[in-house]
């Protein structure tokens, strides 16, 4: 494969809003593409992305970022996060010596608490939908798919529901911490909220240690240290925080993208109504077509080679799952939503290899249940604005609709669940 001299404007806001034609061109002409502006290599072909995801020796997840307090420019804000007990990076991502053992334990705890999750998730979804009864319009993002993932995760962990507003507030700060360009006041606010979240979670963890309640948090409180240098709680807190907050935006974005796909095609809605067992395939096609985590970053640990291209040591490589998931070499007629696609589940929206998403089945459950409920209960809903007015977040990695205004006609169903 020889690299082309073409340039591809991946950071152009118009391309970010609709990147798929550029992905097609990149895959064919320069599947391992060095971005001139920021020097990343971007990988767009399915086989290349999968190979790098599976080769964590050559493509390390530790991208050598400075620790997060260093990310903040304001000394006061840094100070807030430099408390001794605040370990910001989750050991699931950063500590190769013990991460696999920890990951196995965390996977086991999550699986235990997923077995009875469905009725809880359904009750939360029905509550949110009921909150819209009698309304003519809503914003599907801020009123439904925004709140849902945090409510589900708080419920699974065993956190009190009355704490949700505070958790939500803090979670937004968590996410914003990884944005550059905040004002000093904003940085201080974000750091303070993040510290509050840590302190709150530390108290909850301590309480579970004193009197375990059989919830996921009690399991995590008892998690073995797996060779942690100290048996303090900082690393446990980093894991709890990542579980509580880390997957929320991706789940929200997937839910919103699924809804938009449904709004675009009334025949699809009819098909799902006629046979709700196809909602699983619909969820996979949503994740494939509109991968919420568009790509993940890796660092080369040595001079290496991918799809015939040489990549030097210590370079950042962006594995673009959103492009791989529309690779015609793997998915026939890749831009079409196809409920009969035989390999729909082969998409890479949850990553691959040893860092594959911990929350995959919980995310899938939320997607399936929300669409089951919407398909069964809602009648005659439609987009309240022309589709061209919808905006995506201006992000290189996150594929998320800012809002999705809907017009809701009166429901014909009398079933109130
Ligand atoms: C549709 C929703 C979701 C998508 C598309 C998604 C996507 C991903 C991807 C692509 C990765 C791999 C990152 C990498 O290789 O660098 C990942 C990892 C992870 N996800 Fe998710 N995620 C979702 C929901 C969730 C949820 C609900 C949770 C919380 C329970 C969660 C927790 C995590 C954690 C803790 C990791 C790190 C795993 C590790 O490094 O071992 N995710 N996710």
């Amino acid at each position: 494969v020889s690299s082309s001299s073409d340039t591809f404007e991946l950071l152009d806001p118009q391309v970010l809003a609709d990147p798929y034609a550029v992905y097609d061109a990149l895959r064919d002409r320069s599947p391992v593409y060095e971005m001139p502006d920021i020097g990343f290599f971007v990988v767009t072909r399915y086989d290349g992305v999968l190979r790098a995801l599976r080769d964590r020796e050559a493509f390390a997840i530790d991208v050598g970022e400075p620790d997060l307090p260093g990310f903040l420019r304001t000394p006061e804000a840094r100070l807030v996060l430099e408390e001794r007990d605040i370990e910001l990076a989750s050991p699931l991502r950063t500590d190769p010596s013990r991460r696999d053992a920890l990951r196995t334990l965390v996977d086991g705890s999550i699986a235990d608490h997923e077995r009875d999750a469905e009725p809880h998730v359904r009750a939360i979804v029905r509550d949110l939908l009921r909150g819209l009864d009698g309304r003519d319009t809503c914003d599907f993002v801020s009123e439904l798919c925004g709140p849902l993932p945090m409510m589900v995760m708080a419920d699974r962990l065993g956190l009190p529901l009355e704490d949700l507003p505070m958790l939500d507030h803090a979670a937004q700060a968590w996410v914003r911490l990884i944005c550059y360009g905040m004002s000093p006041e904003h940085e201080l606010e974000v750091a303070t909220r993040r510290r509050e979240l840590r302190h709150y979670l530390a108290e909850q963890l301590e309480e579970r240690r004193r009197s375990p309640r059989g919830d996921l948090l009690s399991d995590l409180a008892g998690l073995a240290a797996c060779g942690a240098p100290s048996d303090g709680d900082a690393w446990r807190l980093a894991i709890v925080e990542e579980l509580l907050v880390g997957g929320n935006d991706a789940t929200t974005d997937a839910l919103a993208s699924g809804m938009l796909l449904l709004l675009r095609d009334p025949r699809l809605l009819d098909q799902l109504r006629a046979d709700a067992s196809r909602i699983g395939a619909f969820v996979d096609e949503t994740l494939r077509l509109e991968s919420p985590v568009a790509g993940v970053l890796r660092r080369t640990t040595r001079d290496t080679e991918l799809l015939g291209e040489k990549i030097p040591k210590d370079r950042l490589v962006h594995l673009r799952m959103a492009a791989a998931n529309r690779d015609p070499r793997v998915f026939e007629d890749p831009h079409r939503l196809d409920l009969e696609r035989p390999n729909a589940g082969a998409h890479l929206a949850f990553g691959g290899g040893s860092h594959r998403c911990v929350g995959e089945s919980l995310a899938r459950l939320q997607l399936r249940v929300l669409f089951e409920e919407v398909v069964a209960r809602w009648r005659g809903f439609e987009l309240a604005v022309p589709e061209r007015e919808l905006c995506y977040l201006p992000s290189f990695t996150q594929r998320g609709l800012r809002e999705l205004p809907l017009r809701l006609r009166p429901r014909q169903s009398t079933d109130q669940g």
Side-chain angles (χ1 to χ4, degrees):
V1 181
S2 64
S3 84
S4 147
S5 57
D6 296 333
T7 53
F8 297 90
E9 300 296 335
L10 277 165
L11 297 172
D12 179 326
Q14 272 178 340
V15 172
L16 285 176
D18 186 4
Y20 300 110
V22 173
Y23 293 164
D24 286 346
L26 269 171
R27 240 186 268 108
D28 287 342
R29 304 218 290 268
S30 194
V32 178
Y33 173 66
E34 187 174 357
M35 281 171 79
D37 17 23
I38 50 177
F40 287 8
F41 286 87
V42 178
V43 185
T44 43
R45 240 169 63 184
Y46 185 96
D47 50 355
V49 171
L50 186 59
R51 220 210 85 200
L53 282 170
R54 287 181 172 164
D55 182 356
R56 66 174 176 177
E57 303 303 324
F59 297 91
I61 195 159
D62 166 17
V63 291
E65 271 173 333
D67 60 351
L68 284 175
F71 222 65
L72 300 170
R73 288 162 308 162
T74 321
E76 292 86 341
R78 277 194 218 173
L79 213 63
V80 169
L81 290 179
E82 275 168 1
E83 273 185 26
R84 209 165 39 85
D85 67 330
I86 299 200
E87 183 175 316
L88 286 166
S90 162
L92 285 181
R93 288 183 183 264
T94 52
D95 186 343
S97 60
R98 63 194 164 110
R99 80 134 253 131
D100 290 350
L102 266 179
R103 170 75 200 247
T104 307
L105 291 175
V106 171
D107 280 347
S109 298
I110 291 186
D112 281 349
H113 292 275
E114 256 169 27
R115 269 191 271 284
D116 69 336
E118 182 161 341
H120 292 259
V121 172
R122 201 172 292 280
I124 294 170
V125 167
R126 286 184 176 174
D127 250 17
L128 285 170
L129 291 176
R130 231 180 263 128
L132 299 175
D133 275 356
R135 294 262 302 274
D136 293 331
T137 57
C138 78
D139 171 24
F140 195 73
V141 173
S142 61
E143 299 188 72
L144 269 156
C145 39
L148 178 61
M150 171 67 92
M151 292 170 86
V152 167
M153 209 55 225
D155 172 77
R156 291 296 81 200
L157 283 164
L159 296 171
L161 284 188
E162 61 267 23
D163 295 340
L164 270 169
M166 180 281 291
L167 289 173
D168 202 41
H169 219 55
Q172 286 174 21
W174 196 90
V175 174
R176 288 208 203 108
L177 193 58
I178 27 182
C179 296
Y180 291 101
M182 291 184 284
S183 68
E185 299 75 41
H186 200 166
E187 282 196 352
L188 189 59
E189 191 203 331
V190 159
T192 309
R193 282 205 221 151
R194 177 116 186 223
R195 181 176 61 182
E196 279 165 16
L197 177 63
R198 274 303 164 93
H199 285 204
Y200 166 83
L201 292 175
E203 276 166 28
Q204 293 283 334
L205 212 54
E206 187 48 42
E207 204 181 302
R208 299 306 189 285
R209 187 165 300 119
R210 282 198 305 269
S211 41
R213 294 185 200 168
D215 54 21
L216 177 55
L217 207 56
S218 303
D219 278 12
L220 297 173
L223 209 64
C226 293
S230 76
D231 200 25
D233 258 346
W235 61 273
R236 278 194 193 86
L237 284 170
I239 291 179
V240 172
E241 195 185 68
E242 186 168 15
L243 291 179
L244 179 67
V245 181
N248 287 354
D249 279 355
T251 311
T252 297
D253 296 340
L255 290 160
S257 289
M259 190 61 174
L260 182 57
L261 290 170
L262 210 52
L263 290 161
R264 267 190 202 145
D265 183 358
R267 280 168 320 169
L268 177 63
L269 185 59
D270 291 342
Q271 275 177 303
L272 298 180
R273 262 196 196 123
D275 181 1
S277 70
R278 303 173 95 181
I279 290 177
F282 168 66
V283 165
D284 266 320
E285 281 291 85
T286 297
L287 291 161
R288 185 182 69 78
L289 287 166
E290 295 291 354
S291 307
V293 179
V296 294
L297 210 54
R298 297 292 190 262
R299 180 181 51 84
T300 47
T301 55
R302 50 179 150 85
D303 290 352
T304 185
E305 173 271 318
L306 194 63
L307 302 176
E309 271 314 305
K310 290 196 172 19
I311 308 178
K313 180 174 186 245
D314 268 335
R315 297 295 296 272
L316 292 178
V317 182
H318 191 82
L319 308 174
R320 199 86 185 151
M321 285 99 69
N325 286 341
R326 290 183 184 224
D327 187 340
R329 293 160 193 81
V330 177
F331 301 105
E332 203 186 317
D333 197 0
H335 302 297
R336 198 167 74 85
L337 191 156
D338 178 2
L339 295 178
E340 307 296 333
R341 192 176 290 287
N343 61 348
H347 64 75
L348 303 175
F350 292 106
S354 58
H355 289 281
R356 192 180 169 106
C357 180
V358 166
E360 170 171 354
S361 52
L362 204 56
R364 284 177 179 279
L365 179 65
Q366 294 178 63
L367 281 151
R368 175 170 63 75
V369 168
L370 181 88
F371 287 111
E372 280 173 3
E373 293 294 320
V374 162
V375 162
R377 285 155 190 275
W378 275 14
R379 292 286 179 276
F381 54 97
E382 59 187 22
L383 205 50
V385 296
E387 191 180 330
R388 64 175 183 282
E389 287 179 19
L390 297 178
C391 288
Y392 285 88
L393 294 162
S395 162
F396 185 58
T397 46
Q398 186 184 348
R399 175 82 176 154
L401 283 162
R402 281 178 194 267
E403 46 183 39
L404 189 59
L406 300 186
R407 206 176 348 260
L408 309 167
R409 302 234 190 85
R411 296 186 315 168
Q412 287 164 12
S413 161
T414 50
D415 176 10
Q416 296 292 306

